[in-house]
Amino acid sequence: MPLPRTRGTALRQRLAELRGPDVPAKALDARALAALAANPGCARRAILDGAGVNKTALASALGSPSAFGQSQFALTRGNAFEAKVKADGGAELLRLVHEKLDRSAEPPSDARVPDLTATGPQGRTARTELELREAAAHPGAWTLLDHPMLALDVAGSPAFLEPDAVVVHPDGGWTVVEIKSFPLLDGSADPAKVGAAARQAAVYVLALEEVAARLGAERGGAPAPQVRHRVLLVCPRDFSNLPAASAVDIRKQRAVTARQLARLTRIEDIADALPEGTCFSPELPAEELTAAVESVPATYAPECLSACELAFHCRARSRQEGAVTTLGRPVRAELGGLTTVEQVLAAARGEAGDPDDPAVAALRRAAALRAEALEAACR
Ligand code: SF4
């Protein structure tokens, strides 16, 4: 939801100060928005992304450069695969959508593939919306939008997003298509990669829902086009270059991402809690920058390694503090109020902790069993 004008202006000014003088804002893309949903509790990431800070440059300035992003080889391979999937007017892609998501519809032939070229992201967004309106006005046919552009309001500013494709079904429903270069082996793929793709698709679905709501309002009471919550993930089959597809239910990711984006609009609260003069400009000396970054609470988890440019920095800090979050969220959840490795060991040794606390009791039992086993092994 856009921020009220004066509040929005003041917030934008505050975020520009945090970014640093003359540092341009880094636009949020679907990958960044999706990664936010992977670690919804992290205030550090929320404020850095909200302020448009370039986290890759920040991580380098902190002395912990990220090993994040795709290699040139992977990008080239991914582009070649996508071109193959979309060849011949998207015939194979549409066949996969029909097979996996809409078998009861007429098989796609003579699908419309409108030209979406326009000047600038605003122009491309308007062009995409025009074609979606056109498709909604003439149901009964398949339409393939190749690299449409969508806008999503994030903390008062539009983020421009570019899904690989959106397909309009003959019944008027819209499906997001994600084309990835990781393989589908025997019909399944790396769950972490599928999860990241699903979160990314959820961002596109939210943006499409805003378009659908606008078109619905224009139609004066007629139902808005339905944005389907099952997306199509297209990947190379096994180790070949042949496409295989899987329908992915993204309802959960959509709900988490929507919650997280609503929370992003409260970055004002995080900004207000920062010390006066805080600035994340990569031009600052490393010491000053480290203090600025450390002034925002973070919730490091191993998942950050595949989702956030600051992961090496936050992991090092987390390890220094002996935080149990470095061991992963499931372990963290089991340990209740024990937040450091030191506290866990003291509780296991019986030197600290409430014996009635189930986590403390389980640790003492585990320590006793270990001592017993070691004693037996030494006999
Ligand atoms: S790496 Fe750090 S800043 Fe990024 S999400 Fe994890 S804890 Fe937050």
Side-chain angles (χ1 to χ4, degrees):
M1 183 182 292
L3 292 163
R5 200 171 174 76
T6 47
R7 205 178 126 226
T9 309
L11 177 59
R12 271 192 282 281
Q13 200 174 333
R14 176 77 174 116
L15 296 178
E17 284 164 16
L18 290 175
R19 214 163 44 238
D22 304 326
V23 179
K26 185 171 186 298
L28 280 169
D29 58 14
R31 206 179 273 261
L33 290 172
L36 272 171
N39 192 356
C42 185
R44 185 175 294 169
R45 175 158 195 151
I47 190 76
L48 292 173
D49 279 344
V53 172
N54 181 334
K55 297 201 298 306
T56 307
L58 178 61
S60 297
L62 287 167
S64 306
S66 69
F68 197 66
Q70 280 188 306
S71 69
Q72 194 53 44
F73 172 73
L75 279 172
T76 310
R77 191 167 167 266
N79 290 342
F81 177 65
E82 183 175 337
K84 184 180 171 81
V85 172
K86 289 180 175 171
D88 299 328
E92 179 61 6
L93 192 155
L94 288 160
R95 187 191 70 72
L96 289 167
V97 173
H98 178 256
E99 181 189 308
K100 299 289 176 184
L101 292 168
D102 203 359
R103 271 176 184 271
S104 58
E106 281 291 308
S109 59
D110 293 332
R112 282 181 66 240
V113 188
D115 179 7
L116 298 177
T117 45
T119 310
Q122 282 89 352
R124 290 180 59 200
T125 306
R127 179 86 200 147
T128 297
E129 194 157 327
L130 195 75
E131 290 303 339
L132 284 169
R133 188 179 288 114
E134 177 72 19
H138 300 96
W142 290 90
T143 301
L144 168 64
L145 301 187
D146 183 5
H147 281 288
M149 182 138 288
L150 307 165
L152 187 65
D153 187 273
V154 180
S157 313
F160 292 100
L161 313 166
E162 190 175 355
D164 290 329
V166 168
V167 171
V168 181
H169 296 244
D171 67 2
W174 300 348
T175 289
V176 168
V177 178
E178 269 299 277
I179 302 172
K180 298 290 181 192
S181 55
F182 56 83
L184 267 177
L185 302 170
D186 283 336
S188 59
D190 180 341
K193 289 181 176 165
V194 175
R199 285 192 295 272
Q200 206 176 325
V203 175
Y204 299 137
V205 164
L206 286 170
L208 272 176
E209 282 176 350
E210 288 193 0
V211 180
R214 275 197 294 278
L215 296 198
E218 283 173 15
R219 294 161 112 194
Q226 189 209 354
V227 184
R228 293 172 171 234
H229 290 170
R230 290 177 83 214
V231 304
L232 193 75
L233 178 62
V234 183
C235 299
R237 184 193 305 278
D238 301 324
F239 294 105
S240 73
N241 203 23
L242 299 171
S246 178
V248 181
D249 187 334
I250 52 99
R251 278 176 299 180
K252 190 169 153 230
Q253 290 83 356
R254 184 201 159 279
V256 172
T257 309
R259 261 203 311 278
Q260 183 60 0
L261 291 181
R263 186 180 169 279
L264 248 193
T265 61
R266 296 206 305 269
I267 47 178
E268 201 176 6
D269 300 341
I270 307 173
D272 285 347
L274 294 177
E276 197 58 38
T278 301
C279 179
F280 302 111
S281 166
E283 302 297 319
L284 291 172
E287 235 171 70
E288 209 174 310
L289 208 47
T290 304
V293 169
E294 293 308 311
S295 68
V296 199
T299 51
Y300 175 78
E303 288 82 354
C304 294
L305 289 169
S306 60
C308 183
E309 294 85 345
L310 285 191
F312 289 157
H313 173 83
C314 295
R315 183 177 64 177
R317 292 283 150 169
S318 198
R319 281 179 177 166
Q320 253 173 26
E321 290 159 9
V324 293
T325 47
T326 49
L327 304 173
R329 288 200 187 110
V331 178
R332 171 75 193 84
E334 292 286 334
L335 292 170
L338 304 170
T339 55
T340 66
V341 173
E342 209 174 305
Q343 286 173 356
V344 171
L345 293 176
R349 288 194 294 259
E351 296 163 5
D354 177 359
D356 292 333
D357 179 336
V360 174
L363 283 166
R364 290 191 183 162
R365 172 104 185 103
L369 288 171
R370 180 173 179 274
E372 249 175 60
L374 285 174
E375 204 180 300
C378 292
R379 265 191 225 128

